[in-house]
Amino acid sequence: MKIGGLDIGTTGCKLTVFDERGNFLEKAYRDYPIRRSGGEHEVDAGAILDSVWQVIGNMAGKYPDIGGIGVTSFGETFVATDQGGLPLYPAMLYTDPRGKEECKELTEILGRDRILQITGVDAHEMYSISKIMWLKRHEPAVYERTAHIFLIEDFVVFHLTGRAQIDYSLAARTQAFDIRKLTWSDDIFQAAGVKKELMSEPVPTGTAAGKILTQVSEHTGLSHDTVVVSISHDQVAAAVGAGVFASDKAVDGAGTVQCITPVYDNLPDLEIMSRGKFAVVPYAVPGKYVCYAFSYTGGALIQWCTEMLAKKEKELAEEKGISVNAYLEAEYREPTGLLVLPHFAGAATPYMDNGSKGAILGLDTSTTVEEIYCACMEGVVYEMMVNMEYLNQSGTAFTMLHATGGGAKSRVWMQMKADMLGLPVTALGTSDAGTVGSAMLTGIATGCFYDLEDASAHMVEKREVYKPRREMYEKYRKIYERYRKVYSAVRPLME
């Protein structure tokens, strides 16, 4: 029997297939466009579903004995559908500005503290509920026709199985889920004027939804007995795939978005968490929670640098037979001294300020592309140092980071993170922790593994440990004291 992890991202989805012992076999990927125009940021849920059919069909043709597929997805974005699951309106991404006024109204009705204590998040228009309110107000005909409101995970699970269920961690991204009672909040839905019955049934992370529908089997080539599992929000799946199950470790997600995900053995003080704008989310381990400390541009900033600035360096790297990243990192030994504010797509935690812009400070006529590139890496980590100040107030206890994502392949960046954060960093063997975590939970649901520890022993590969160097920590710390002032200095100039 084979198991699969289906990871649905903002711009594409991939299905990764493993054998029953957790060994990687193959993966298929398909992308889909997002639309940004006139201030609207949308994705076509129908296009997402088409890509899902393609990757499943691709892998089912090669591995007809896939016994289980776990579904994980990005958060916040919702899909209004008819009774059969047909989308009625484009799906608004978390960056879409619609819902700002509705969020303000919801906060005025319930109060900021009440929303925080129920949902574990500070009220913000990025979450689903405000955008659902916007849809009801501005597209009443669409709202009246709506029979289901799905997020992406449960949208796909519904089309695979006919069952409308959503796991706790993704439900928490709506700002309408009670993270203590693990149910939809009557107070939130009543204040929002939205019908709670439109939402899928909340279930624990890793809950099987059932076998695939007959028409899905015929369309994709999957066995009629293939089980579909509701996994989680993608960051939770990545934490599972990183083998982080307790508070002594945290995840360093070095992907397009840079994210540190610590685990809390109990519900943390929500007021303290709100100081850093951290969302508190139910975890895959019952009774435990995680939060997300993140920057919108992690690997995305590095990619910007290589594509926009390093055109000549790409050619030189090709001549040497190495990646442009390896070429640009080759001579890095000391902090650059440059200050890069990595808000090229707005500021995430601890600011949650979409109006903030990126900045590069300290340039002169001798500054090289290599220095700017490495300074971008530094800037991402300096931003995580800011986040760490807030995380430390919340009683985090982790003493090790498990690094995943494409950035974990960079020895320079991993050592830089260890030195700057003053923590050992273990680089893991897989860059796709989300699909690994999804497959781990699917393996448990289908009987391949006993529990998370058993699944981790089979599927989490530790590649190398980077230890912090005290002398380098002190050098970075001096520069960080200047970096800490950059946001407050630059932000007023961007009004």
Side-chain angles (χ1 to χ4, degrees), residues 126-353:
M126 71 180 284
Y127 298 112
S128 317
I129 192 64
S130 298
K131 289 175 169 41
I132 297 171
M133 292 169 65
W134 182 95
L135 182 72
K136 180 183 178 183
R137 171 174 293 171
H138 294 275
E139 300 287 350
V142 173
Y143 182 81
E144 286 303 316
R145 292 173 58 204
T146 298
H148 297 285
I149 291 178
F150 297 110
L151 273 68
I152 301 301
E153 170 208 275
D154 49 320
F155 174 67
V156 171
V157 168
F158 179 79
H159 278 275
L160 290 171
T161 68
R163 181 168 175 77
Q165 67 176 41
I166 183 171
D167 96 286
Y168 296 156
S169 70
L170 192 64
R173 303 308 292 170
T174 61
Q175 194 195 285
F177 185 72
D178 190 320
I179 63 168
R180 301 172 194 267
K181 297 177 181 178
L182 302 178
T183 61
W184 295 117
S185 169
D186 289 331
D187 288 353
I188 299 287
F189 280 95
Q190 288 173 8
V194 172
K195 293 180 286 188
K196 185 181 67 172
E197 295 72 26
L198 297 174
M199 311 302 291
S200 297
E201 176 190 357
V203 296
T205 294
T207 297
K211 296 179 181 180
I212 61 170
L213 297 167
T214 300
Q215 60 264 35
V216 172
S217 175
E218 294 172 351
H219 179 57
T220 64
L222 286 173
S223 164
H224 292 279
D225 294 324
T226 303
V227 173
V228 176
V229 183
S230 297
I231 301 299
S232 65
H233 183 220
D234 52 12
Q235 293 295 347
V236 164
V240 172
V244 173
F245 309 129
S247 57
D248 60 331
K249 298 180 182 68
V251 184
D252 172 55
T256 302
V257 170
Q258 166 65 44
C259 184
I260 290 179
T261 307
V263 176
Y264 293 84
D265 293 329
N266 300 288
L267 183 67
D269 187 311
L270 297 178
E271 188 58 46
I272 292 176
M273 299 299 288
S274 72
R275 296 173 190 169
K277 305 293 192 298
F278 301 130
V280 178
V281 180
Y283 192 37
V285 181
K288 296 189 178 185
Y289 295 82
V290 295
C291 80
Y292 310 137
F294 67 106
S295 171
Y296 291 131
T297 48
L301 180 57
I302 307 307
Q303 183 179 8
W304 170 84
C305 193
T306 57
E307 291 182 353
M308 296 298 181
L309 304 181
K311 293 179 172 60
K312 180 64 176 177
E313 288 72 18
K314 276 187 178 180
E315 296 176 3
L316 296 173
E318 288 176 2
E319 292 175 5
K320 291 190 172 187
I322 61 175
S323 70
V324 65
N325 305 83
Y327 181 90
L328 293 167
E329 296 169 16
E331 301 301 319
Y332 185 80
R333 300 291 183 274
E334 296 281 328
T336 64
L338 299 176
L339 298 174
V340 175
L341 187 68
H343 297 175
F344 284 53
T349 58
Y351 310 110
M352 297 308 296
D353 178 4

